[in-house]
Amino acid sequence: MEQKRYDLEKRFLHGGDYNPDQWLDYPEILQKDLELMDKANTNTFSLGIFAWSTLEPEEGVFHFDWLDRVMDNIAQKGGNVILATPSGARPAWLSQKYPEVLRTNGHREKMLHGGRHNHCFSSPIYREKVAIINRKLAERYHDHPALLMWHISNEYSGECHCDLCQENFRLWVKNKYQTLEAVNQAWWGPFWSHTVTDWAQIESPSPIGEMQVHGLNLDWRRFVTDQTIDFYEHEIKDIRSLSPNVPITTNFMADTYDLIPFQSLDYGKFAKHVDIISWDCYPAWHNDWETTADLASKVGFINDLYRSLKQQPFLIMESTPSGVNWHDVNKTKRPGMHLLSSMQFLAHGSDSNLYFQWRKSRGSSEKFHGAVVDHDNDEHNRVFQDVAKVGASLEKIKEIKGKNIDAKVAIIYDWDNNWALNDAQGFGLKSKRYPETLQEHYRYFWDHDISVDVITPDQDLSKYQLVIAPMLYLMTKQTMEKLKVYTKKGGTLVSTYLTGYVNETDLAYLNGWPQELKDLFGIAVKETDTLYPKQKNNLSFAGKNYDVHDYCSIVENQAAEVLATYQDDFYAQSPSVTKHAFGTGEAYYIGARTTGDFLGAFYDQIIDNLDLANPWIEQGHLAVSVQQRGHNHYFVMNFSEESQEIRVASEGIDLLKNAPTSQPIQMAPYEVKVIRTTDG
Ligand code: GAL
């Protein structure tokens, strides 16, 4: 696809969600916005996200004049519009006249009008109404000079359990399994007498019905993803044909402010349907439960996941210039943090920093959510000035836009596995912590300034020297085969406890640990001991003892080299960490949950063997993160409240200051430098 305007855009995108529809009675505010957009050094605005009741105040009556004016004004100043379809929330007349569009929850209760994403994705009427408004928007604006990209709906989420959705789910199941016998086998039907003898007996999981049939739960989650994607595909049909050159995105999100991947939809699948990934990132900076570096590493992880979904630069569609309104405590950013946190997005491959929201709304729940323009309308206040500074900084480093990140290390994250593992009634119900465990492994690489791709199991592994695949409890035979091929051809693979228990329909593998894994790792996992929160074991690795907690796999060695043994309990002296030469590669198995000190010692050896250390860093600092983007650009970021220094191999130009770098590089608290080295 030829992507004209977006391809021609040489600037980073800076701006955000703009809701002129809330201010149509305040022409002086709309006028002021245009003035302030320049002063804030912003260039891109997302319009129309929740504007349906203004665009179509009555059924079939459309008002576009206000949107024409705003788009024209933005075009006149050389700005961009990311134009949204308004399906995230709908007008009251629609719910009143067509109650079928209302969502039904898991308790089978029909919801009232209100909120967002409170509609049925199956409803033919909802689909028809969305298609009409989307088509009107596409017809009117497809060649508008300001149009840069389409923003489909807003943060798709949730699920509907109405009769129409039950029927669609049954069709989905039928399509997948063809026969009821196959369904009963996949879902282990006779358990609690759950054999189904008629397609109509299949129901979505429900707290007033069945929640314990794991195969059903897993397929329901897959169905919800497929149904959401199907709704999205329905939304973009006319848009795609009327504006084939305009890229399409929909904004993804993270789950909670722990910044773990969004739990309810498989974004690995969704990513294949969007032209560019965009997502909304709201870290709780300056919180009281972790250090700034701890949080920054999690932000790095999730940005690397969303970048890696398409292996190309992505967009931050929403972030906040100060605080949000939905954390328990909505703290504003300390001086310096806005520039630092904005630059961190770019360091991990974003081509934008866009905000929610341009202007604070006057009423309702988001009136105190951070915004570029506050109720005071004052361009001199601290937040506005911070935003303007980010805009000016983006201009100075625009040569980096579009550059990719070349990682030799991959960590595998799998949505299916996450769902199955969360369901598993066994092990420690509260201690599984799958995404968090990946973040703990990631931390080593963040601390050592080594780029990482966070990928899904279906992605290509051949470009990686090291693949880390912790806790793949659900592992398909295809994934086993893929990991074997990868390792055989010279790759280094790291796996852990809670790996290889169930297949793709959440049925346990029979006859012990799968033979494929025994061949690959040279061991057989016999049991998993689950520890209470206060219990510990320890392992001895390279002459030192390290605490382990939560999980200890009890392993029989078959052909591996034992790198560490347990020191306690009835399995003392048995293998806890092993290494197995397989083909021309090596497969490591870490049998227990360790802390960062073990991971540090373990990965130090691997990084040494594979020569993966960042050659630019001569002496780093754990709170200073360095990310390379493209061939010779480095973001150097001090995520601490103290001054730090690092030594690097070659000098360069500090692009933000337009001055040569010093050696060592001195970093003030929260300082960020963007450096172009002279060797490229
Ligand atoms: C996002 C949403 C925005 C706004 C924001 C507040 O999840 O897309 O519309 O509500 O949160 O942080």
Side-chain angles (χ1 to χ4, degrees), residues 514-558:
Q515 189 58 45
E516 292 84 346
L517 297 182
K518 288 181 188 158
D519 294 345
L520 178 54
F521 292 99
I523 56 171
V525 175
K526 296 302 215 181
E527 276 186 74
T528 299
D529 188 20
T530 306
L531 277 56
Y532 281 92
K534 288 186 193 148
Q535 293 176 337
K536 285 194 173 33
N537 199 321
N538 63 98
L539 57 79
S540 144
F541 172 76
K544 251 186 99 178
N545 269 21
Y546 297 91
D547 277 352
V548 303
H549 57 285
D550 293 346
Y551 298 108
C552 295
S553 339
I554 303 174
V555 164
E556 175 190 283
N557 187 18
Q558 296 186 335

Side-chain angles (χ1 to χ4, degrees), residues 172 222-223 225-226 229 266-273 415:
W172 185 96
R222 291 169 174 148
F223 163 76
T225 294
D226 286 352
I229 293 172
D266 181 343
Y267 283 160
K269 267 192 189 170
F270 212 146
K272 300 189 172 69
H273 297 258
W415 268 271

Side-chain angles (χ1 to χ4, degrees), residues 164-177:
L164 292 169
C165 288
Q166 300 294 347
E167 215 31 64
N168 280 340
F169 179 48
R170 285 174 199 131
L171 281 174
W172 185 96
V173 175
K174 201 168 192 172
N175 195 29
K176 176 167 180 180
Y177 293 104

Side-chain angles (χ1 to χ4, degrees), residues 17 19 49-50 116 151 153-155 251-254 280-282 317-320 323-327 356-357 365-366 369-370:
D17 282 19
N19 302 107
I49 293 175
F50 295 114
R116 311 191 290 193
H151 178 302
S153 201
N154 188 71
E155 295 186 338
N251 48 342
F252 290 171
M253 49 184 150
D280 304 342
C281 186
Y282 292 104
M317 189 61 87
E318 293 179 21
S319 65
T320 176
V324 294
N325 66 333
W326 50 272
H327 290 174
F356 179 86
Q357 50 193 337
S365 68
E366 287 178 337
H369 189 291

